[in-house]
Coordinates of all heavy atoms in Angstrom, one line a residue:
M27 N 85.6 45.0 143.6 CA 84.8 44.5 144.7 C 84.8 45.5 145.8 O 85.7 46.2 146.0 CB 85.4 43.2 145.2 CG 84.5 42.5 146.2 SD 85.1 41.0 147.0 CE 85.0 39.9 145.6
V28 N 83.7 45.6 146.4 CA 83.5 46.6 147.5 C 84.5 46.2 148.6 O 84.6 45.0 149.0 CB 82.1 46.6 148.0 CG1 81.9 47.5 149.2 CG2 81.1 46.9 147.0
S29 N 85.2 47.1 149.1 CA 86.2 46.8 150.1 C 85.6 46.3 151.4 O 84.4 46.6 151.8 CB 87.1 48.0 150.5 OG 86.3 49.0 151.2
L30 N 86.3 45.4 152.1 CA 85.8 44.8 153.4 C 85.5 45.9 154.4 O 84.6 45.8 155.1 CB 86.8 43.8 153.9 CG 86.4 43.0 155.1 CD1 85.1 42.2 154.7 CD2 87.5 42.1 155.5
F31 N 86.4 47.0 154.4 CA 86.2 48.1 155.4 C 84.8 48.7 155.1 O 84.1 49.0 156.0 CB 87.3 49.1 155.2 CG 87.1 50.3 156.0 CD1 87.4 50.3 157.4 CD2 86.7 51.5 155.5 CE1 87.2 51.5 158.1 CE2 86.5 52.6 156.2 CZ 86.7 52.6 157.5
F32 N 84.6 49.0 153.8 CA 83.3 49.7 153.5 C 82.1 48.9 153.9 O 81.1 49.4 154.4 CB 83.3 49.9 152.0 CG 82.1 50.7 151.5 CD1 81.9 52.0 151.7 CD2 81.1 50.0 150.8 CE1 80.8 52.7 151.3 CE2 80.0 50.6 150.3 CZ 79.8 52.0 150.6
I33 N 82.2 47.6 153.6 CA 81.0 46.7 153.9 C 80.8 46.6 155.4 O 79.7 46.7 155.9 CB 81.2 45.3 153.3 CG1 81.0 45.4 151.8 CG2 80.2 44.3 153.9 CD1 81.3 44.1 151.0
R34 N 81.9 46.4 156.2 CA 81.7 46.1 157.6 C 81.5 47.4 158.5 O 80.7 47.3 159.4 CB 82.9 45.4 158.2 CG 83.0 44.0 157.7 CD 84.0 43.3 158.5 NE 83.9 41.9 158.3 CZ 84.6 41.0 158.9 NH1 85.5 41.3 159.8 NH2 84.4 39.7 158.7
V35 N 82.1 48.5 158.1 CA 82.0 49.7 159.0 C 81.0 50.7 158.6 O 80.2 51.1 159.4 CB 83.4 50.3 159.1 CG1 83.4 51.6 159.9 CG2 84.5 49.4 159.7
I36 N 80.9 51.0 157.3 CA 80.0 52.0 156.8 C 78.6 51.5 156.7 O 77.7 52.2 157.1 CB 80.5 52.6 155.4 CG1 82.0 53.0 155.5 CG2 79.6 53.6 154.9 CD1 82.2 54.3 156.3
L37 N 78.4 50.3 156.2 CA 77.0 49.9 155.9 C 76.5 49.0 157.1 O 77.2 48.4 157.8 CB 77.0 49.0 154.7 CG 77.4 49.7 153.4 CD1 77.4 48.7 152.3 CD2 76.4 50.8 153.1
S38 N 75.2 49.1 157.3 CA 74.6 48.3 158.3 C 74.4 46.9 157.8 O 74.5 46.6 156.6 CB 73.2 48.9 158.7 OG 72.4 49.0 157.7
Q39 N 74.0 46.0 158.6 CA 73.8 44.6 158.3 C 72.9 44.4 157.1 O 73.2 43.6 156.2 CB 73.4 43.8 159.5 CG 73.2 42.3 159.3 CD 74.5 41.6 159.1 OE1 75.5 42.0 159.6 NE2 74.5 40.5 158.4
H40 N 71.7 45.1 157.1 CA 70.7 44.8 156.0 C 71.1 45.4 154.7 O 70.4 45.2 153.7 CB 69.3 45.3 156.5 CG 69.2 46.8 156.6 ND1 69.6 47.5 157.7 CD2 68.6 47.6 155.8 CE1 69.4 48.8 157.5 NE2 68.8 48.9 156.3
Q41 N 72.1 46.3 154.6 CA 72.6 46.9 153.4 C 73.7 46.2 152.7 O 74.1 46.5 151.6 CB 72.9 48.4 153.6 CG 71.8 49.2 154.1 CD 72.3 50.6 154.5 OE1 73.4 50.8 155.0 NE2 71.4 51.6 154.2
R42 N 74.4 45.3 153.4 CA 75.6 44.7 152.8 C 75.4 43.8 151.6 O 76.1 43.9 150.7 CB 76.2 43.8 153.9 CG 76.8 44.6 155.0 CD 77.4 43.8 156.1 NE 77.7 44.6 157.2 CZ 78.1 44.2 158.4 NH1 78.2 42.9 158.6 NH2 78.4 45.0 159.4
G43 N 74.3 43.1 151.5 CA 74.0 42.3 150.3 C 73.8 43.1 149.1 O 74.2 42.8 148.0
A44 N 73.0 44.2 149.3 CA 72.7 45.1 148.2 C 74.0 45.8 147.7 O 74.2 45.9 146.5 CB 71.7 46.2 148.6
A45 N 74.9 46.2 148.6 CA 76.1 46.9 148.2 C 77.0 45.9 147.4 O 77.6 46.3 146.4 CB 76.9 47.4 149.4
N46 N 77.1 44.7 147.9 CA 77.9 43.7 147.1 C 77.3 43.4 145.8 O 78.0 43.2 144.8 CB 78.0 42.4 148.0 CG 79.1 41.5 147.5 OD1 80.0 41.9 146.8 ND2 79.0 40.2 147.8
G47 N 75.9 43.3 145.7 CA 75.3 43.0 144.4 C 75.5 44.2 143.4 O 75.8 43.9 142.2
I48 N 75.4 45.4 143.9 CA 75.6 46.6 143.0 C 77.1 46.6 142.5 O 77.4 46.8 141.3 CB 75.2 47.9 143.7 CG1 73.7 47.9 143.9 CG2 75.7 49.1 143.0 CD1 73.3 49.0 144.9
S49 N 78.0 46.3 143.4 CA 79.4 46.3 143.1 C 79.7 45.2 142.0 O 80.4 45.5 141.0 CB 80.2 46.0 144.3 OG 81.6 45.8 144.0
M50 N 79.1 44.0 142.2 CA 79.4 43.0 141.2 C 78.7 43.3 139.8 O 79.3 42.9 138.8 CB 78.8 41.6 141.7 CG 79.6 41.1 142.9 SD 81.3 40.8 142.4 CE 82.1 40.8 143.9
T51 N 77.6 43.9 139.9 CA 76.9 44.3 138.6 C 77.8 45.3 137.8 O 78.0 45.2 136.6 CB 75.6 45.0 138.9 OG1 74.7 44.0 139.6 CG2 74.9 45.4 137.6
W52 N 78.3 46.3 138.5 CA 79.2 47.3 137.8 C 80.4 46.7 137.3 O 80.9 47.0 136.2 CB 79.5 48.5 138.8 CG 78.3 49.4 138.8 CD1 77.5 49.6 139.9 CD2 77.9 50.3 137.8 NE1 76.6 50.6 139.6 CE2 76.8 51.0 138.3 CE3 78.3 50.6 136.5 CZ2 76.1 51.9 137.6 CZ3 77.6 51.5 135.8 CH2 76.5 52.2 136.3
M53 N 81.0 45.8 138.1 CA 82.2 45.1 137.7 C 82.0 44.3 136.4 O 82.8 44.3 135.5 CB 82.8 44.1 138.8 CG 83.5 44.9 139.9 SD 84.0 43.8 141.2 CE 84.9 42.5 140.4
S54 N 80.8 43.6 136.3 CA 80.5 42.8 135.2 C 80.3 43.7 133.9 O 80.7 43.4 132.8 CB 79.3 42.0 135.4 OG 79.5 41.0 136.5
L55 N 79.6 44.8 134.1 CA 79.4 45.7 133.0 C 80.7 46.3 132.5 O 80.9 46.4 131.3 CB 78.4 46.9 133.4 CG 77.0 46.5 133.6 CD1 76.2 47.6 134.2 CD2 76.4 46.0 132.3
F56 N 81.6 46.7 133.4 CA 82.8 47.2 132.9 C 83.7 46.2 132.3 O 84.4 46.5 131.3 CB 83.6 47.9 134.1 CG 83.0 49.3 134.4 CD1 82.6 49.5 135.7 CD2 83.0 50.3 133.5 CE1 82.1 50.8 136.0 CE2 82.5 51.5 133.8 CZ 82.0 51.8 135.1
K57 N 83.6 44.9 132.7 CA 84.4 43.9 132.0 C 83.8 43.6 130.6 O 84.5 43.2 129.7 CB 84.3 42.6 132.9 CG 85.2 42.6 134.1 CD 85.1 41.3 134.8 CE 85.9 41.4 136.1 NZ 85.8 40.1 136.8
A58 N 82.5 43.8 130.5 CA 81.9 43.6 129.2 C 82.2 44.7 128.2 O 82.4 44.5 127.0 CB 80.4 43.4 129.3
F59 N 82.1 45.9 128.7 CA 82.3 47.1 127.8 C 83.8 47.6 127.7 O 84.1 48.4 126.9 CB 81.4 48.2 128.2 CG 80.0 47.9 127.9 CD1 79.1 47.7 128.9 CD2 79.5 47.8 126.6 CE1 77.8 47.4 128.7 CE2 78.2 47.5 126.3 CZ 77.3 47.3 127.4
G60 N 84.6 47.1 128.6 CA 86.0 47.5 128.6 C 86.8 47.2 127.3 O 87.4 48.2 126.7
P61 N 86.7 46.0 126.7 CA 87.4 45.8 125.5 C 86.9 46.7 124.3 O 87.7 47.1 123.5 CB 87.2 44.3 125.2 CG 86.9 43.7 126.5 CD 86.2 44.8 127.3
F62 N 85.6 46.9 124.3 CA 85.0 47.7 123.2 C 85.5 49.2 123.4 O 86.0 49.8 122.4 CB 83.5 47.7 123.3 CG 82.8 48.8 122.5 CD1 82.8 48.8 121.2 CD2 82.3 49.9 123.2 CE1 82.2 49.8 120.4 CE2 81.7 50.9 122.5 CZ 81.7 50.9 121.1
G63 N 85.5 49.7 124.6 CA 86.0 51.0 124.9 C 87.4 51.2 124.6 O 87.9 52.2 124.0
G64 N 88.2 50.2 125.0 CA 89.7 50.3 124.7 C 90.0 50.2 123.2 O 90.9 50.9 122.7
G65 N 89.3 49.4 122.5 CA 89.5 49.3 121.0 C 89.1 50.6 120.3 O 89.7 51.0 119.4
A66 N 87.9 51.1 120.7 CA 87.5 52.4 120.2 C 88.5 53.5 120.5 O 88.8 54.4 119.6 CB 86.1 52.8 120.7
L67 N 89.0 53.5 121.7 CA 90.0 54.6 122.1 C 91.3 54.4 121.3 O 91.8 55.4 120.8 CB 90.2 54.5 123.6 CG 91.2 55.5 124.2 CD1 90.6 56.9 124.0 CD2 91.4 55.2 125.6
F68 N 91.7 53.2 121.1 CA 92.9 52.9 120.3 C 92.7 53.3 118.9 O 93.6 54.0 118.2 CB 93.3 51.5 120.4 CG 94.6 51.2 119.8 CD1 95.8 51.6 120.3 CD2 94.7 50.5 118.6 CE1 97.0 51.3 119.7 CE2 95.8 50.2 117.9 CZ 97.0 50.6 118.5
S69 N 91.6 53.0 118.3 CA 91.3 53.4 116.9 C 91.2 54.9 116.7 O 91.8 55.4 115.7 CB 90.0 52.8 116.4 OG 90.1 51.4 116.4
W70 N 90.6 55.5 117.7 CA 90.5 57.0 117.6 C 91.9 57.6 117.7 O 92.3 58.6 117.0 CB 89.6 57.5 118.7 CG 89.5 59.0 118.8 CD1 89.1 59.8 117.8 CD2 89.8 59.8 119.9 NE1 89.1 61.1 118.2 CE2 89.5 61.1 119.5 CE3 90.3 59.6 121.2 CZ2 89.7 62.2 120.4 CZ3 90.4 60.6 122.1 CH2 90.2 61.9 121.7
G71 N 92.8 57.1 118.6 CA 94.1 57.6 118.7 C 94.9 57.4 117.5 O 95.8 58.2 117.1
Q72 N 94.8 56.2 116.8 CA 95.5 56.0 115.6 C 95.1 56.9 114.4 O 95.8 57.1 113.5 CB 95.4 54.5 115.2 CG 96.0 53.5 116.1 CD 97.5 53.8 116.3 OE1 98.2 54.0 115.3 NE2 98.0 54.0 117.5
S73 N 93.8 57.3 114.5 CA 93.4 58.3 113.4 C 93.9 59.7 113.7 O 93.8 60.5 112.8 CB 91.9 58.3 113.4 OG 91.3 58.9 114.5
R74 N 94.5 59.9 114.8 CA 95.1 61.2 115.2 C 96.6 61.2 115.1 O 97.3 61.9 115.8 CB 94.7 61.6 116.6 CG 93.3 61.8 116.8 CD 93.0 62.1 118.3 NE 94.0 62.9 119.0 CZ 94.0 64.2 119.1 NH1 93.1 64.9 118.6 NH2 95.0 64.8 119.7
K75 N 97.2 60.4 114.2 CA 98.7 60.3 114.2 C 99.4 61.6 113.8 O 100.5 61.8 114.2 CB 99.1 59.2 113.2 CG 98.9 57.9 113.7 CD 99.6 56.9 112.8 CE 99.5 55.5 113.4 NZ 100.3 54.5 112.7
N76 N 98.7 62.5 113.1 CA 99.4 63.8 112.7 C 98.9 64.9 113.5 O 99.1 66.1 113.2 CB 99.1 64.0 111.2 CG 99.7 63.0 110.3 OD1 100.8 62.4 110.7 ND2 99.1 62.6 109.2
A77 N 98.2 64.7 114.6 CA 97.7 65.8 115.5 C 98.9 66.5 116.2 O 99.9 65.8 116.5 CB 96.7 65.2 116.5
S78 N 98.8 67.7 116.5 CA 99.9 68.5 117.2 C 99.8 68.2 118.7 O 100.9 68.4 119.3 CB 99.8 69.9 116.8 OG 98.6 70.5 117.3
F79 N 98.7 68.0 119.2 CA 98.5 67.7 120.7 C 98.1 66.3 120.9 O 97.1 65.9 120.5 CB 97.5 68.7 121.3 CG 97.3 68.6 122.7 CD1 98.3 68.9 123.6 CD2 96.1 68.0 123.2 CE1 98.1 68.8 125.0 CE2 95.9 67.9 124.6 CZ 96.9 68.3 125.5
L80 N 98.9 65.6 121.7 CA 98.7 64.1 122.0 C 98.4 63.3 120.7 O 97.3 62.8 120.6 CB 97.6 64.0 123.0 CG 97.8 64.6 124.4 CD1 96.6 64.6 125.2 CD2 99.0 64.0 125.1
P81 N 99.4 63.1 119.9 CA 99.1 62.3 118.7 C 99.1 60.8 118.9 O 99.8 60.4 119.8 CB 100.3 62.7 117.8 CG 101.4 63.1 118.7 CD 100.7 63.7 119.9
G82 N 98.4 60.1 118.1 CA 98.4 58.6 118.1 C 98.2 58.0 119.5 O 97.3 58.3 120.2
S83 N 99.1 57.1 119.8 CA 99.0 56.3 121.1 C 99.2 57.2 122.3 O 98.8 56.8 123.4 CB 100.0 55.2 121.1 OG 101.3 55.6 121.0
E84 N 99.8 58.4 122.2 CA 99.9 59.3 123.3 C 98.5 59.6 123.9 O 98.3 59.8 125.1 CB 100.7 60.5 123.0 CG 102.1 60.2 122.7 CD 102.9 61.5 122.4 OE1 102.4 62.6 122.7 OE2 104.0 61.3 121.8
M85 N 97.5 59.8 123.0 CA 96.2 60.1 123.4 C 95.6 58.9 124.2 O 94.9 59.1 125.2 CB 95.3 60.4 122.2 CG 93.8 60.7 122.6 SD 93.6 62.0 123.8 CE 93.7 63.4 122.7
V86 N 95.9 57.7 123.8 CA 95.4 56.5 124.5 C 95.9 56.5 125.9 O 95.2 56.3 126.9 CB 95.8 55.2 123.7 CG1 95.4 54.0 124.5 CG2 95.1 55.2 122.4
F87 N 97.2 56.7 126.1 CA 97.8 56.7 127.4 C 97.4 57.8 128.3 O 97.2 57.7 129.5 CB 99.3 56.6 127.3 CG 99.8 55.3 126.8 CD1 100.3 55.1 125.5 CD2 99.7 54.2 127.6 CE1 100.8 53.9 125.1 CE2 100.1 52.9 127.2 CZ 100.6 52.8 125.9
F88 N 97.1 59.0 127.6 CA 96.6 60.1 128.4 C 95.2 59.8 129.0 O 95.0 60.1 130.2 CB 96.6 61.4 127.5 CG 96.0 62.6 128.2 CD1 96.7 63.3 129.1 CD2 94.7 63.0 127.9 CE1 96.1 64.4 129.8 CE2 94.1 64.1 128.5 CZ 94.8 64.8 129.4
V89 N 94.4 59.3 128.2 CA 93.0 59.0 128.6 C 93.1 57.9 129.7 O 92.4 58.0 130.7 CB 92.1 58.6 127.4 CG1 90.8 58.0 127.9 CG2 91.9 59.7 126.5
L90 N 93.9 56.9 129.5 CA 94.0 55.8 130.5 C 94.6 56.3 131.8 O 94.1 55.9 132.9 CB 94.8 54.6 129.9 CG 94.2 53.9 128.8 CD1 95.1 52.8 128.3 CD2 92.9 53.2 129.2
N91 N 95.5 57.2 131.8 CA 96.0 57.8 133.0 C 95.0 58.6 133.7 O 95.0 58.6 134.9 CB 97.3 58.6 132.7 CG 98.5 57.8 132.4 OD1 98.6 56.7 133.0 ND2 99.4 58.3 131.6
M92 N 94.1 59.3 133.0 CA 93.1 60.1 133.6 C 92.1 59.2 134.3 O 91.6 59.4 135.4 CB 92.3 61.0 132.6 CG 93.2 62.1 132.1 SD 93.7 63.3 133.4 CE 95.4 62.8 133.5
V93 N 91.8 58.0 133.7 CA 90.9 57.0 134.3 C 91.5 56.5 135.6 O 90.9 56.3 136.6 CB 90.5 55.9 133.3 CG1 89.8 54.8 134.0 CG2 89.7 56.4 132.2
E94 N 92.8 56.3 135.5 CA 93.5 55.8 136.7 C 93.5 56.8 137.8 O 93.4 56.4 139.0 CB 95.0 55.4 136.3 CG 95.8 54.8 137.4 CD 97.2 54.5 137.0 OE1 97.5 54.4 135.8 OE2 98.0 54.2 137.9
V95 N 93.7 58.0 137.5 CA 93.7 59.1 138.6 C 92.3 59.1 139.2 O 92.2 59.2 140.5 CB 94.1 60.4 138.0 CG1 93.8 61.6 138.9 CG2 95.6 60.4 137.6
V96 N 91.3 59.1 138.5 CA 89.9 59.1 139.0 C 89.7 57.9 139.9 O 89.1 58.0 141.0 CB 88.8 59.1 137.9 CG1 87.5 58.9 138.4 CG2 88.9 60.5 137.2
G97 N 90.2 56.7 139.5 CA 90.1 55.5 140.3 C 90.8 55.6 141.6 O 90.4 55.1 142.6
L98 N 92.0 56.2 141.5 CA 92.8 56.4 142.7 C 92.1 57.3 143.7 O 92.1 57.0 144.9 CB 94.2 56.9 142.4 CG 95.1 57.2 143.5 CD1 95.5 55.8 144.2 CD2 96.4 57.9 143.1
L99 N 91.5 58.4 143.2 CA 90.8 59.3 144.1 C 89.6 58.7 144.7 O 89.3 58.9 145.9 CB 90.4 60.6 143.3 CG 91.6 61.5 142.9 CD1 91.1 62.6 142.0 CD2 92.3 62.0 144.1
M100 N 88.9 57.8 143.9 CA 87.7 57.2 144.5 C 88.1 56.1 145.5 O 87.2 55.7 146.3 CB 86.9 56.6 143.3 CG 86.2 57.6 142.5 SD 85.3 56.9 141.1 CE 84.1 56.0 141.9
T101 N 89.3 55.6 145.5 CA 89.7 54.6 146.5 C 89.7 55.2 147.9 O 89.3 54.5 148.8 CB 91.2 54.2 146.2 OG1 91.2 53.6 144.9 CG2 91.7 53.2 147.2
F102 N 89.9 56.5 148.0 CA 90.0 57.1 149.3 C 88.6 57.6 149.8 O 88.5 58.0 151.0 CB 91.0 58.3 149.3 CG 92.4 57.8 149.1 CD1 93.0 58.0 147.9 CD2 93.1 57.1 150.1 CE1 94.3 57.6 147.7 CE2 94.4 56.7 149.9 CZ 95.0 56.9 148.7
K103 N 87.6 57.6 149.0 CA 86.3 58.1 149.3 C 85.7 57.3 150.5 O 85.2 58.0 151.4 CB 85.4 58.0 148.1 CG 84.0 58.7 148.4 CD 83.2 58.7 147.1 CE 81.8 59.4 147.4 NZ 81.0 59.4 146.3
P104 N 85.7 56.0 150.6 CA 85.1 55.3 151.8 C 85.8 55.7 153.1 O 85.2 55.7 154.1 CB 85.2 53.8 151.5 CG 85.4 53.8 150.0 CD 86.1 55.0 149.6
F105 N 87.1 56.0 153.0 CA 87.8 56.3 154.2 C 87.5 57.7 154.7 O 87.8 58.1 155.9 CB 89.3 56.1 154.0 CG 89.7 54.7 153.7 CD1 90.0 54.3 152.4 CD2 89.6 53.7 154.7 CE1 90.3 53.0 152.1 CE2 90.0 52.4 154.4 CZ 90.3 52.1 153.1
L106 N 87.0 58.6 153.9 CA 86.7 59.9 154.2 C 85.3 60.1 154.8 O 85.0 61.1 155.5 CB 86.9 60.9 153.0 CG 88.3 60.9 152.4 CD1 88.2 61.8 151.2 CD2 89.3 61.5 153.5
A107 N 84.4 59.1 154.6 CA 83.1 59.2 155.1 C 83.0 58.7 156.6 O 83.8 57.8 157.0 CB 82.2 58.2 154.3
L108 N 82.2 59.4 157.3 CA 82.1 59.1 158.7 C 80.9 58.1 158.9 O 79.9 58.3 158.3 CB 81.8 60.3 159.5 CG 82.9 61.4 159.6 CD1 82.4 62.6 160.3 CD2 84.2 60.8 160.2
P109 N 81.1 57.1 159.7 CA 80.0 56.1 159.9 C 78.9 56.8 160.7 O 79.1 57.7 161.5 CB 80.6 55.0 160.8 CG 81.9 55.5 161.3 CD 82.3 56.7 160.4
Q110 N 77.6 56.4 160.4 CA 76.5 57.0 161.1 C 76.4 56.5 162.5 O 76.8 55.4 162.8 CB 75.2 56.6 160.4 CG 75.1 57.1 159.0 CD 73.8 56.6 158.3 OE1 73.1 55.7 158.8 NE2 73.5 57.2 157.1
Q111 N 75.9 57.4 163.4 CA 75.8 57.0 164.8 C 74.7 56.0 164.9 O 73.6 56.2 164.4 CB 75.5 58.2 165.6 CG 76.6 59.3 165.7 CD 77.8 58.8 166.4 OE1 77.6 57.9 167.3 NE2 78.9 59.3 166.1
R112 N 75.0 54.9 165.6 CA 73.9 53.9 165.8 C 73.4 54.0 167.3 O 74.2 54.0 168.2 CB 74.5 52.5 165.6 CG 75.0 52.3 164.2 CD 75.5 50.9 163.9 NE 75.9 50.8 162.6 CZ 77.0 50.2 162.2 NH1 77.7 49.6 163.0 NH2 77.3 50.2 160.9
G113 N 72.2 54.2 167.3 CA 71.7 54.5 168.7 C 70.4 53.9 169.0 O 69.8 53.6 169.8

């Protein structure tokens, strides 16, 4: 969900509904495709059991950790943006 800080400070009044709608749309899409992506990633990792670099389930955890790092970095993005001057 779009953070309350982002909605109240960064966006103007007429943009708040659109931001919330876009956020909910993306959340729903990721909830729908998440199990498929996780299953495909797990199957791919299991087919690599004899690989020399990141074999089996290690590949799954490596990819999930990279997704987590990107998510963590994107958490700070709204705090780095400056609000527009209202005049």
Side-chain angles (χ1 to χ4, degrees):
M27 186 183 289
V28 178
S29 70
L30 187 59
F31 174 80
F32 180 74
I33 289 176
R34 286 193 169 185
V35 176
I36 304 288
L37 295 175
S38 63
Q39 180 72 27
H40 71 279
Q41 295 174 326
R42 291 179 187 170
N46 195 22
I48 291 169
S49 172
M50 292 298 158
T51 301
W52 282 108
M53 283 177 50
S54 297
L55 287 173
F56 283 120
K57 285 180 183 180
F59 290 110
F62 166 74
L67 182 63
F68 185 72
S69 294
W70 178 56
Q72 292 302 309
S73 69
R74 296 176 34 93
K75 283 191 174 189
N76 297 326
S78 60
F79 180 70
L80 296 173
S83 61
E84 290 180 18
M85 176 59 79
V86 174
F87 288 108
F88 176 75
V89 171
L90 292 176
N91 284 328
M92 292 298 105
V93 170
E94 183 178 345
V95 166
V96 170
L98 180 67
L99 293 174
M100 290 178 64
T101 300
F102 296 105
K103 187 176 179 181
F105 298 105
L106 299 175
L108 297 174
Q110 296 178 348
Q111 294 291 333
R112 298 182 180 139

